[in-house]
Amino acid sequence: MPLPIILDCDPGTDDALALFLALASPELEVLAITVAGGNVGLEMTLPNALALTALTGSKVPVYAGADRPLLGAFTSETRVHGNDGLGGIALPPGGPPCPEHAADAIRRIVRASERPVTLVGIAPVTNIALALMTEPAIAANVERIVLMSGAWGEGNATPAAEFNAVSDPEALAVVLGCGRPVVMATLEIAAQALCTPAHLAAMRASGSGRCLQAACDIQNSVPFSRRLGGMGAALYDPCAVAWLIRPELFTTQAASVTMDLGPGPCRGRTVIDRWGRTGAPANAMVLETIDAGGLFTLLTGRFNRLP
Ligand code: RIB
Ligand code: CA
């Protein structure tokens, strides 16, 4: 039986590859795609999600959600994703979104599902937090929440914090405190599987489908980060989805994860208690290592299942 999931995203170059992976994988049943502002504003992440979904031929419903965090102002990351969110790679437009707000759709779908639903958050988790805050009872039908979020150490958006976490720290605190199992793919797991020019060339040569080519074109637009040694680009969001499909590619560590919600330079930091120094009970399973070759084999194989 495929695993029922809702994918919450902010496409976003790495979101694009994660969305393709999810829609190409028979292990998953994507019940809905919900969209938040993040890498770029919702006015771009929404059409990007619609276009990416349409490119795969999928009829999965897409819902617009939050265009800002629970508290504070919206900030984007156009330096990595370009002003349009997909590195300037133009796709044929998708269809219209469903009229329901993403948070309402998450509540309705989880409430009605005969099987517990896995929530996959690869954006600022405002939509997921809104759903859980306005109808806490749905948590009983949430299998687990799998996130690309946070960092064991240095951040990428600030010295202290990862982008999704610092974009809406209060929302992440709500999710971490909701009582359901949380799995976190942090910055560090993606840093172990950088997409190098050689990886991209091999992936591009592996097939000729429009989705494979779009994935390669989008990934090729991503600048290499100095923080990662300029050797390649990190596939943050695909790591979170890949864990659902091939958990054996990863090792994990149960840990207590708390949020710095202060106004200072550490705001949005995920404080991951790897050695149990605080005595606080573990509230998350944090990915520690990845079989990088296995990830690229999975991505290449699945992208070639798409049109
Ligand atoms: O820090 C990386 C995360 O922030 C990824 O989800 C990327 O798409 C951005 O949303
Ligand atoms: Ca994302």
Side-chain angles (χ1 to χ4, degrees), residues 194-265:
L194 294 182
C195 186
T196 64
H199 282 123
L200 204 49
M203 190 178 286
R204 190 182 293 276
S206 70
S208 57
R210 64 179 189 238
C211 293
L212 173 75
Q213 295 313 313
C216 293
D217 291 343
I218 290 167
Q219 186 59 35
N220 189 50
S221 75
V222 180
F224 294 174
S225 159
R226 288 182 303 153
R227 183 176 62 84
L228 299 174
M231 304 300 289
L235 298 171
Y236 297 114
D237 294 341
C239 285
V241 176
W243 178 83
L244 275 174
I245 301 163
R246 289 277 187 279
E248 68 274 12
L249 295 179
F250 300 86
T251 63
T252 60
Q253 169 73 43
S256 159
V257 182
T258 53
M259 295 302 302
D260 186 318
L261 300 177

Short mmCIF file of all heavy atoms in Angstrom, two decimals, residues 194-265:
data_model
loop_
_atom_site.label_atom_id
_atom_site.label_comp_id
_atom_site.label_asym_id
_atom_site.label_seq_id
_atom_site.Cartn_x
_atom_site.Cartn_y
_atom_site.Cartn_z
N LEU A 194 26.39 16.20 -2.37
CA LEU A 194 26.34 17.38 -3.25
C LEU A 194 26.17 16.96 -4.70
O LEU A 194 26.77 15.98 -5.15
CB LEU A 194 27.63 18.18 -3.11
CG LEU A 194 27.88 18.86 -1.75
CD1 LEU A 194 29.18 19.65 -1.81
CD2 LEU A 194 26.72 19.73 -1.33
N CYS A 195 25.34 17.70 -5.40
CA CYS A 195 25.14 17.46 -6.83
C CYS A 195 26.25 18.18 -7.59
O CYS A 195 26.22 19.41 -7.73
CB CYS A 195 23.77 17.95 -7.27
SG CYS A 195 23.40 17.54 -8.99
N THR A 196 27.24 17.42 -8.04
CA THR A 196 28.39 18.00 -8.76
C THR A 196 28.07 18.05 -10.25
O THR A 196 27.12 17.40 -10.72
CB THR A 196 29.63 17.11 -8.57
OG1 THR A 196 29.35 15.83 -9.19
CG2 THR A 196 29.95 16.92 -7.10
N PRO A 197 28.88 18.79 -11.03
CA PRO A 197 28.67 18.79 -12.48
C PRO A 197 28.69 17.39 -13.08
O PRO A 197 27.91 17.07 -13.99
CB PRO A 197 29.84 19.64 -12.99
CG PRO A 197 30.13 20.58 -11.84
CD PRO A 197 29.91 19.76 -10.60
N ALA A 198 29.51 16.52 -12.51
CA ALA A 198 29.57 15.14 -13.03
C ALA A 198 28.26 14.40 -12.76
O ALA A 198 27.73 13.69 -13.64
CB ALA A 198 30.74 14.39 -12.38
N HIS A 199 27.72 14.58 -11.57
CA HIS A 199 26.43 13.96 -11.25
C HIS A 199 25.35 14.45 -12.22
O HIS A 199 24.55 13.67 -12.75
CB HIS A 199 25.99 14.32 -9.83
CG HIS A 199 26.68 13.55 -8.76
ND1 HIS A 199 27.39 14.15 -7.75
CD2 HIS A 199 26.76 12.21 -8.51
CE1 HIS A 199 27.88 13.24 -6.94
NE2 HIS A 199 27.52 12.05 -7.38
N LEU A 200 25.38 15.76 -12.46
CA LEU A 200 24.33 16.36 -13.30
C LEU A 200 24.45 15.87 -14.74
O LEU A 200 23.47 15.54 -15.40
CB LEU A 200 24.44 17.88 -13.23
CG LEU A 200 23.19 18.69 -13.54
CD1 LEU A 200 21.99 18.20 -12.78
CD2 LEU A 200 23.44 20.17 -13.25
N ALA A 201 25.71 15.76 -15.21
CA ALA A 201 25.92 15.28 -16.59
C ALA A 201 25.43 13.84 -16.74
O ALA A 201 24.78 13.49 -17.72
CB ALA A 201 27.40 15.39 -16.94
N ALA A 202 25.72 13.05 -15.72
CA ALA A 202 25.29 11.64 -15.79
C ALA A 202 23.77 11.54 -15.75
O ALA A 202 23.16 10.76 -16.49
CB ALA A 202 25.91 10.87 -14.62
N MET A 203 23.16 12.38 -14.91
CA MET A 203 21.70 12.35 -14.81
C MET A 203 21.09 12.79 -16.14
O MET A 203 20.17 12.17 -16.66
CB MET A 203 21.25 13.28 -13.68
CG MET A 203 19.78 13.17 -13.31
SD MET A 203 19.38 14.26 -11.92
CE MET A 203 20.13 13.37 -10.55
N ARG A 204 21.63 13.84 -16.71
CA ARG A 204 21.07 14.37 -17.97
C ARG A 204 21.21 13.34 -19.11
O ARG A 204 20.32 13.17 -19.93
CB ARG A 204 21.77 15.66 -18.36
CG ARG A 204 21.12 16.40 -19.50
CD ARG A 204 21.87 17.67 -19.89
NE ARG A 204 21.85 18.72 -18.88
CZ ARG A 204 20.86 19.60 -18.72
NH1 ARG A 204 19.77 19.47 -19.45
NH2 ARG A 204 20.93 20.58 -17.83
N ALA A 205 22.30 12.61 -19.07
CA ALA A 205 22.55 11.62 -20.15
C ALA A 205 21.71 10.36 -19.96
O ALA A 205 21.66 9.50 -20.86
CB ALA A 205 24.03 11.26 -20.17
N SER A 206 21.05 10.27 -18.81
CA SER A 206 20.35 9.00 -18.50
C SER A 206 19.01 8.86 -19.21
O SER A 206 18.39 7.80 -19.19
CB SER A 206 20.12 8.91 -16.99
OG SER A 206 19.13 9.86 -16.58
N GLY A 207 18.54 9.96 -19.80
CA GLY A 207 17.22 9.85 -20.44
C GLY A 207 16.90 11.12 -21.20
O GLY A 207 17.73 12.03 -21.31
N SER A 208 15.65 11.16 -21.68
CA SER A 208 15.28 12.32 -22.51
C SER A 208 13.90 12.88 -22.17
O SER A 208 13.37 13.71 -22.90
CB SER A 208 15.29 11.88 -23.99
OG SER A 208 14.38 10.78 -24.15
N GLY A 209 13.34 12.45 -21.07
CA GLY A 209 12.01 12.93 -20.69
C GLY A 209 12.02 14.41 -20.33
O GLY A 209 13.05 14.95 -19.88
N ARG A 210 10.85 15.04 -20.51
CA ARG A 210 10.79 16.50 -20.25
C ARG A 210 11.04 16.82 -18.78
O ARG A 210 11.61 17.85 -18.43
CB ARG A 210 9.46 17.05 -20.74
CG ARG A 210 8.24 16.50 -20.01
CD ARG A 210 6.95 17.11 -20.52
NE ARG A 210 5.82 16.72 -19.66
CZ ARG A 210 4.74 16.08 -20.12
NH1 ARG A 210 4.66 15.76 -21.41
NH2 ARG A 210 3.74 15.74 -19.29
N CYS A 211 10.60 15.94 -17.89
CA CYS A 211 10.80 16.20 -16.45
C CYS A 211 12.26 16.03 -16.07
O CYS A 211 12.81 16.83 -15.31
CB CYS A 211 9.91 15.29 -15.62
SG CYS A 211 8.14 15.64 -15.80
N LEU A 212 12.90 14.99 -16.61
CA LEU A 212 14.33 14.79 -16.35
C LEU A 212 15.12 16.00 -16.83
O LEU A 212 15.98 16.54 -16.11
CB LEU A 212 14.84 13.53 -17.04
CG LEU A 212 16.36 13.30 -16.98
CD1 LEU A 212 16.78 12.83 -15.59
CD2 LEU A 212 16.81 12.31 -18.04
N GLN A 213 14.82 16.44 -18.03
CA GLN A 213 15.56 17.59 -18.58
C GLN A 213 15.28 18.86 -17.77
O GLN A 213 16.19 19.63 -17.47
CB GLN A 213 15.20 17.78 -20.06
CG GLN A 213 15.64 16.63 -20.96
CD GLN A 213 17.09 16.19 -20.72
OE1 GLN A 213 18.00 17.03 -20.64
NE2 GLN A 213 17.32 14.89 -20.56
N ALA A 214 14.02 19.04 -17.37
CA ALA A 214 13.68 20.22 -16.55
C ALA A 214 14.41 20.16 -15.21
O ALA A 214 14.97 21.16 -14.75
CB ALA A 214 12.17 20.30 -16.35
N ALA A 215 14.44 18.97 -14.62
CA ALA A 215 15.13 18.82 -13.33
C ALA A 215 16.60 19.18 -13.47
O ALA A 215 17.17 19.91 -12.64
CB ALA A 215 14.98 17.38 -12.82
N CYS A 216 17.21 18.72 -14.55
CA CYS A 216 18.64 19.01 -14.77
C CYS A 216 18.86 20.49 -15.07
O CYS A 216 19.80 21.11 -14.57
CB CYS A 216 19.19 18.14 -15.88
SG CYS A 216 19.25 16.38 -15.47
N ASP A 217 17.98 21.07 -15.86
CA ASP A 217 18.12 22.50 -16.17
C ASP A 217 17.95 23.35 -14.91
O ASP A 217 18.73 24.28 -14.67
CB ASP A 217 17.05 22.93 -17.21
CG ASP A 217 17.30 22.33 -18.58
OD1 ASP A 217 18.43 21.86 -18.84
OD2 ASP A 217 16.35 22.32 -19.40
N ILE A 218 16.98 22.99 -14.10
CA ILE A 218 16.72 23.74 -12.86
C ILE A 218 17.91 23.57 -11.91
O ILE A 218 18.43 24.55 -11.37
CB ILE A 218 15.41 23.28 -12.20
CG1 ILE A 218 14.21 23.74 -13.04
CG2 ILE A 218 15.30 23.80 -10.77
CD1 ILE A 218 12.89 23.06 -12.65
N GLN A 219 18.37 22.32 -11.76
CA GLN A 219 19.49 22.07 -10.84
C GLN A 219 20.74 22.77 -11.32
O GLN A 219 21.53 23.28 -10.53
CB GLN A 219 19.73 20.57 -10.68
CG GLN A 219 20.77 20.19 -9.65
CD GLN A 219 20.42 20.70 -8.25
OE1 GLN A 219 19.26 20.74 -7.87
NE2 GLN A 219 21.42 21.13 -7.50
N ASN A 220 20.91 22.82 -12.64
CA ASN A 220 22.11 23.46 -13.21
C ASN A 220 22.15 24.95 -12.93
O ASN A 220 23.21 25.59 -12.99
CB ASN A 220 22.14 23.22 -14.73
CG ASN A 220 23.47 23.65 -15.35
OD1 ASN A 220 24.55 23.28 -14.87
ND2 ASN A 220 23.38 24.48 -16.38
N SER A 221 21.00 25.53 -12.60
CA SER A 221 20.94 26.99 -12.34
C SER A 221 21.38 27.34 -10.93
O SER A 221 21.59 28.51 -10.62
CB SER A 221 19.49 27.48 -12.52
OG SER A 221 18.70 27.07 -11.40
N VAL A 222 21.55 26.34 -10.07
CA VAL A 222 21.82 26.61 -8.65
C VAL A 222 23.30 26.91 -8.44
O VAL A 222 24.16 26.11 -8.82
CB VAL A 222 21.40 25.40 -7.78
CG1 VAL A 222 21.68 25.71 -6.29
CG2 VAL A 222 19.93 25.08 -7.98
N PRO A 223 23.62 28.07 -7.86
CA PRO A 223 25.03 28.38 -7.61
C PRO A 223 25.60 27.48 -6.54
O PRO A 223 24.88 27.00 -5.65
CB PRO A 223 24.98 29.84 -7.14
CG PRO A 223 23.61 30.04 -6.58
CD PRO A 223 22.72 29.14 -7.36
N PHE A 224 26.92 27.21 -6.62
CA PHE A 224 27.59 26.39 -5.61
C PHE A 224 27.92 27.28 -4.41
O PHE A 224 28.42 28.39 -4.56
CB PHE A 224 28.87 25.78 -6.17
CG PHE A 224 28.64 24.77 -7.28
CD1 PHE A 224 29.70 24.23 -7.98
CD2 PHE A 224 27.35 24.37 -7.62
CE1 PHE A 224 29.49 23.30 -8.99
CE2 PHE A 224 27.13 23.46 -8.64
CZ PHE A 224 28.20 22.92 -9.32
N SER A 225 27.64 26.77 -3.22
CA SER A 225 27.82 27.55 -2.00
C SER A 225 29.27 27.49 -1.50
O SER A 225 29.88 26.41 -1.49
CB SER A 225 26.89 27.00 -0.91
OG SER A 225 27.37 27.39 0.37
N ARG A 226 29.77 28.65 -1.12
CA ARG A 226 31.12 28.68 -0.50
C ARG A 226 31.13 27.83 0.76
O ARG A 226 32.12 27.16 1.07
CB ARG A 226 31.51 30.12 -0.15
CG ARG A 226 31.83 31.02 -1.33
CD ARG A 226 32.23 32.41 -0.84
NE ARG A 226 31.17 33.01 -0.01
CZ ARG A 226 31.41 33.92 0.95
NH1 ARG A 226 32.64 34.30 1.21
NH2 ARG A 226 30.41 34.44 1.63
N ARG A 227 29.99 27.85 1.45
CA ARG A 227 29.89 27.11 2.72
C ARG A 227 30.13 25.62 2.46
O ARG A 227 30.56 24.89 3.34
CB ARG A 227 28.51 27.35 3.34
CG ARG A 227 28.26 26.72 4.70
CD ARG A 227 26.89 27.12 5.26
NE ARG A 227 25.84 26.64 4.40
CZ ARG A 227 25.33 25.41 4.44
NH1 ARG A 227 25.81 24.53 5.29
NH2 ARG A 227 24.36 25.03 3.62
N LEU A 228 29.84 25.16 1.25
CA LEU A 228 29.99 23.73 0.95
C LEU A 228 31.22 23.49 0.08
O LEU A 228 31.33 22.46 -0.58
CB LEU A 228 28.72 23.22 0.27
CG LEU A 228 27.44 23.35 1.12
CD1 LEU A 228 26.21 22.97 0.30
CD2 LEU A 228 27.53 22.49 2.37
N GLY A 229 32.11 24.46 0.03
CA GLY A 229 33.39 24.28 -0.66
C GLY A 229 33.32 24.49 -2.16
O GLY A 229 34.26 24.17 -2.89
N GLY A 230 32.15 24.97 -2.64
CA GLY A 230 32.05 25.29 -4.07
C GLY A 230 32.15 24.08 -4.97
O GLY A 230 32.43 24.20 -6.17
N MET A 231 31.87 22.89 -4.39
CA MET A 231 32.07 21.67 -5.19
C MET A 231 30.79 21.21 -5.87
O MET A 231 30.80 20.40 -6.79
CB MET A 231 32.57 20.54 -4.27
CG MET A 231 33.83 20.89 -3.51
SD MET A 231 35.18 21.26 -4.63
CE MET A 231 35.48 19.59 -5.24
N GLY A 232 29.67 21.69 -5.37
CA GLY A 232 28.40 21.23 -5.93
C GLY A 232 27.25 21.87 -5.16
O GLY A 232 27.47 22.65 -4.24
N ALA A 233 26.04 21.52 -5.52
CA ALA A 233 24.85 22.11 -4.88
C ALA A 233 24.15 21.05 -4.03
O ALA A 233 24.08 19.88 -4.42
CB ALA A 233 23.91 22.66 -5.95
N ALA A 234 23.63 21.47 -2.90
CA ALA A 234 22.98 20.53 -1.97
C ALA A 234 21.54 20.27 -2.40
O ALA A 234 20.82 21.19 -2.78
CB ALA A 234 23.02 21.11 -0.56
N LEU A 235 21.14 19.01 -2.30
CA LEU A 235 19.77 18.61 -2.65
C LEU A 235 18.95 18.48 -1.36
O LEU A 235 18.55 17.39 -0.95
CB LEU A 235 19.81 17.28 -3.41
CG LEU A 235 20.57 17.32 -4.74
CD1 LEU A 235 20.73 15.92 -5.29
CD2 LEU A 235 19.87 18.22 -5.75
N TYR A 236 18.69 19.62 -0.74
CA TYR A 236 18.08 19.61 0.58
C TYR A 236 16.74 18.86 0.59
O TYR A 236 16.56 17.86 1.28
CB TYR A 236 17.87 21.05 1.06
CG TYR A 236 19.15 21.83 1.24
CD1 TYR A 236 19.45 22.92 0.44
CD2 TYR A 236 20.08 21.46 2.22
CE1 TYR A 236 20.63 23.63 0.61
CE2 TYR A 236 21.27 22.16 2.38
CZ TYR A 236 21.53 23.25 1.57
OH TYR A 236 22.71 23.95 1.73
N ASP A 237 15.79 19.36 -0.17
CA ASP A 237 14.43 18.80 -0.10
C ASP A 237 14.34 17.37 -0.60
O ASP A 237 13.62 16.55 0.01
CB ASP A 237 13.48 19.70 -0.89
CG ASP A 237 13.33 21.07 -0.25
OD1 ASP A 237 13.64 21.20 0.96
OD2 ASP A 237 12.91 22.01 -0.94
N PRO A 238 15.06 16.99 -1.67
CA PRO A 238 15.00 15.58 -2.08
C PRO A 238 15.44 14.61 -0.98
O PRO A 238 14.93 13.48 -0.93
CB PRO A 238 15.95 15.54 -3.28
CG PRO A 238 15.88 16.93 -3.86
CD PRO A 238 15.75 17.83 -2.67
N CYS A 239 16.33 15.05 -0.10
CA CYS A 239 16.77 14.14 0.99
C CYS A 239 15.59 13.78 1.89
O CYS A 239 15.47 12.62 2.32
CB CYS A 239 17.88 14.79 1.81
SG CYS A 239 19.48 14.81 1.00
N ALA A 240 14.73 14.73 2.16
CA ALA A 240 13.59 14.46 3.04
C ALA A 240 12.64 13.45 2.39
O ALA A 240 12.22 12.47 3.01
CB ALA A 240 12.85 15.76 3.36
N VAL A 241 12.36 13.64 1.12
CA VAL A 241 11.45 12.71 0.41
C VAL A 241 12.11 11.36 0.22
O VAL A 241 11.49 10.30 0.38
CB VAL A 241 11.02 13.31 -0.95
CG1 VAL A 241 10.16 12.33 -1.74
CG2 VAL A 241 10.26 14.62 -0.73
N ALA A 242 13.42 11.37 -0.05
CA ALA A 242 14.15 10.10 -0.27
C ALA A 242 14.10 9.22 0.98
O ALA A 242 14.05 7.99 0.89
CB ALA A 242 15.59 10.38 -0.68
N TRP A 243 14.12 9.85 2.17
CA TRP A 243 14.07 9.04 3.40
C TRP A 243 12.78 8.22 3.45
O TRP A 243 12.77 7.06 3.89
CB TRP A 243 14.17 9.93 4.65
CG TRP A 243 14.09 9.11 5.90
CD1 TRP A 243 15.12 8.44 6.53
CD2 TRP A 243 12.90 8.81 6.66
NE1 TRP A 243 14.64 7.74 7.62
CE2 TRP A 243 13.29 7.96 7.72
CE3 TRP A 243 11.57 9.18 6.54
CZ2 TRP A 243 12.38 7.48 8.67
CZ3 TRP A 243 10.65 8.70 7.48
CH2 TRP A 243 11.06 7.87 8.52
N LEU A 244 11.68 8.83 2.98
CA LEU A 244 10.39 8.11 2.99
C LEU A 244 10.42 6.90 2.07
O LEU A 244 9.77 5.89 2.32
CB LEU A 244 9.28 9.06 2.55
CG LEU A 244 8.65 9.95 3.60
CD1 LEU A 244 7.68 10.93 2.94
CD2 LEU A 244 7.92 9.12 4.66
N ILE A 245 11.16 7.02 0.98
CA ILE A 245 11.15 5.98 -0.05
C ILE A 245 12.23 4.92 0.22
O ILE A 245 11.98 3.72 0.09
CB ILE A 245 11.38 6.62 -1.43
CG1 ILE A 245 10.29 7.65 -1.73
CG2 ILE A 245 11.44 5.55 -2.54
CD1 ILE A 245 10.65 8.61 -2.84
N ARG A 246 13.41 5.38 0.63
CA ARG A 246 14.57 4.48 0.87
C ARG A 246 15.22 4.82 2.21
O ARG A 246 16.35 5.33 2.25
CB ARG A 246 15.60 4.67 -0.25
CG ARG A 246 15.20 4.12 -1.58
CD ARG A 246 15.48 2.62 -1.65
NE ARG A 246 15.24 2.11 -3.00
CZ ARG A 246 14.01 1.80 -3.45
NH1 ARG A 246 12.96 2.02 -2.66
NH2 ARG A 246 13.85 1.35 -4.67
N PRO A 247 14.54 4.55 3.31
CA PRO A 247 15.13 4.90 4.62
C PRO A 247 16.47 4.21 4.86
O PRO A 247 17.32 4.72 5.60
CB PRO A 247 14.08 4.44 5.63
CG PRO A 247 13.18 3.52 4.90
CD PRO A 247 13.21 3.91 3.47
N GLU A 248 16.67 3.07 4.17
CA GLU A 248 17.92 2.34 4.36
C GLU A 248 19.15 3.09 3.84
O GLU A 248 20.29 2.71 4.12
CB GLU A 248 17.84 0.95 3.72
CG GLU A 248 17.78 0.94 2.20
CD GLU A 248 16.37 1.10 1.63
OE1 GLU A 248 15.44 1.46 2.40
OE2 GLU A 248 16.20 0.88 0.42
N LEU A 249 18.92 4.16 3.08
CA LEU A 249 20.05 4.98 2.60
C LEU A 249 20.58 5.91 3.70
O LEU A 249 21.62 6.56 3.53
CB LEU A 249 19.61 5.86 1.42
CG LEU A 249 19.19 5.15 0.13
CD1 LEU A 249 18.77 6.19 -0.92
CD2 LEU A 249 20.33 4.28 -0.43
N PHE A 250 19.90 5.93 4.83
CA PHE A 250 20.22 6.90 5.87
C PHE A 250 20.49 6.21 7.21
O PHE A 250 20.00 5.11 7.46
CB PHE A 250 19.04 7.87 6.08
CG PHE A 250 18.66 8.65 4.85
CD1 PHE A 250 17.79 8.12 3.91
CD2 PHE A 250 19.17 9.93 4.64
CE1 PHE A 250 17.42 8.83 2.78
CE2 PHE A 250 18.81 10.65 3.51
CZ PHE A 250 17.94 10.11 2.58
N THR A 251 21.25 6.90 8.06
CA THR A 251 21.26 6.56 9.49
C THR A 251 20.65 7.75 10.22
O THR A 251 20.63 8.88 9.69
CB THR A 251 22.69 6.31 10.02
OG1 THR A 251 23.45 7.52 9.89
CG2 THR A 251 23.35 5.18 9.26
N THR A 252 20.14 7.47 11.41
CA THR A 252 19.40 8.52 12.13
C THR A 252 19.83 8.55 13.59
O THR A 252 20.44 7.62 14.10
CB THR A 252 17.88 8.24 12.09
OG1 THR A 252 17.65 6.97 12.73
CG2 THR A 252 17.36 8.21 10.67
N GLN A 253 19.50 9.64 14.24
CA GLN A 253 19.80 9.82 15.67
C GLN A 253 18.58 10.45 16.32
O GLN A 253 18.13 11.51 15.88
CB GLN A 253 21.01 10.74 15.83
CG GLN A 253 21.28 11.23 17.24
CD GLN A 253 21.84 10.14 18.14
OE1 GLN A 253 22.70 9.38 17.72
NE2 GLN A 253 21.30 10.03 19.34
N ALA A 254 18.02 9.77 17.32
CA ALA A 254 16.91 10.37 18.08
C ALA A 254 17.48 11.48 18.96
O ALA A 254 18.55 11.31 19.56
CB ALA A 254 16.23 9.31 18.95
N ALA A 255 16.80 12.60 19.01
CA ALA A 255 17.32 13.72 19.80
C ALA A 255 16.20 14.67 20.18
O ALA A 255 15.16 14.74 19.52
CB ALA A 255 18.37 14.50 18.98
N SER A 256 16.46 15.40 21.26
CA SER A 256 15.57 16.51 21.62
C SER A 256 15.95 17.71 20.75
O SER A 256 17.13 18.07 20.66
CB SER A 256 15.76 16.86 23.10
OG SER A 256 15.31 18.18 23.35
N VAL A 257 14.95 18.28 20.09
CA VAL A 257 15.18 19.47 19.25
C VAL A 257 14.32 20.60 19.77
O VAL A 257 13.10 20.44 19.89
CB VAL A 257 14.84 19.19 17.77
CG1 VAL A 257 15.14 20.43 16.92
CG2 VAL A 257 15.60 17.99 17.24
N THR A 258 14.96 21.71 20.11
CA THR A 258 14.21 22.88 20.57
C THR A 258 14.58 24.07 19.70
O THR A 258 15.62 24.06 19.02
CB THR A 258 14.53 23.19 22.05
OG1 THR A 258 15.96 23.29 22.19
CG2 THR A 258 14.00 22.10 22.97
N MET A 259 13.74 25.08 19.74
CA MET A 259 13.91 26.24 18.88
C MET A 259 14.37 27.44 19.69
O MET A 259 13.89 27.67 20.80
CB MET A 259 12.59 26.60 18.21
CG MET A 259 12.05 25.58 17.25
SD MET A 259 13.21 25.23 15.92
CE MET A 259 13.42 26.88 15.21
N ASP A 260 15.27 28.23 19.12
CA ASP A 260 15.57 29.55 19.67
C ASP A 260 14.57 30.52 19.05
O ASP A 260 14.63 30.80 17.85
CB ASP A 260 17.01 29.95 19.35
CG ASP A 260 17.39 31.26 20.05
OD1 ASP A 260 16.54 32.19 20.07
OD2 ASP A 260 18.50 31.35 20.59
N LEU A 261 13.65 31.02 19.87
CA LEU A 261 12.60 31.92 19.37
C LEU A 261 12.87 33.37 19.76
O LEU A 261 11.99 34.24 19.63
CB LEU A 261 11.23 31.48 19.93
CG LEU A 261 10.81 30.05 19.55
CD1 LEU A 261 9.48 29.70 20.21
CD2 LEU A 261 10.71 29.90 18.04
N GLY A 262 14.08 33.61 20.23
CA GLY A 262 14.40 34.98 20.65
C GLY A 262 14.61 35.89 19.46
O GLY A 262 14.66 35.44 18.30
N PRO A 263 14.75 37.19 19.74
CA PRO A 263 14.92 38.20 18.69
C PRO A 263 16.36 38.37 18.22
O PRO A 263 16.62 39.07 17.24
CB PRO A 263 14.43 39.48 19.38
CG PRO A 263 14.84 39.28 20.81
CD PRO A 263 14.68 37.80 21.08
N GLY A 264 17.26 37.65 18.89
CA GLY A 264 18.67 37.92 18.64
C GLY A 264 19.26 37.15 17.47
O GLY A 264 18.53 36.56 16.66
N PRO A 265 20.60 37.11 17.36
CA PRO A 265 21.29 36.51 16.21
C PRO A 265 21.10 35.01 16.11
O PRO A 265 21.37 34.41 15.08
CB PRO A 265 22.76 36.87 16.46
CG PRO A 265 22.85 37.10 17.93
CD PRO A 265 21.54 37.69 18.34
#
